[in-house]
């Protein structure tokens, strides 16, 4: 349904929410972004680019 570029945008948006709003941003990302992101069969695109602080 969605591809790697969509996954990258969603991952970046979730990371931005976390940076700006902390735990509240995580809650929003998990409620809104996670259901769509889980449909994409691609690993964390931020890890692949060396920008992920959650999985590193």
């Amino acid at each position: 349904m969605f591809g790697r570029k969509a996954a990258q945008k969603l991952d970046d948006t979730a990371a931005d929410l976390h940076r700006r709003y902390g735990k509240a941003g995580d809650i929003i990302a998990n409620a809104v972004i996670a259901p769509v992101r889980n449909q994409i069969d691609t690993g964390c695109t931020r890890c692949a680019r060396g920008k992920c602080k959650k999985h590193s």
Side-chain angles (χ1 to χ4, degrees), residues 15 18-19 44 46-47 49-56:
H18 174 74
R19 269 193 310 276
C44 179
R46 293 183 63 78
C47 286
R49 292 180 288 153
K51 294 185 176 183
C52 186
K53 293 185 172 128
K54 184 174 183 180
H55 298 119
S56 299

Side-chain angles (χ1 to χ4, degrees), residues 28-49:
I28 293 168
N30 287 332
V32 177
I33 296 173
V36 176
R37 181 61 176 92
N38 288 336
Q39 295 177 8
I40 303 173
D41 189 27
T42 302
C44 179
T45 59
R46 293 183 63 78
C47 286
R49 292 180 288 153

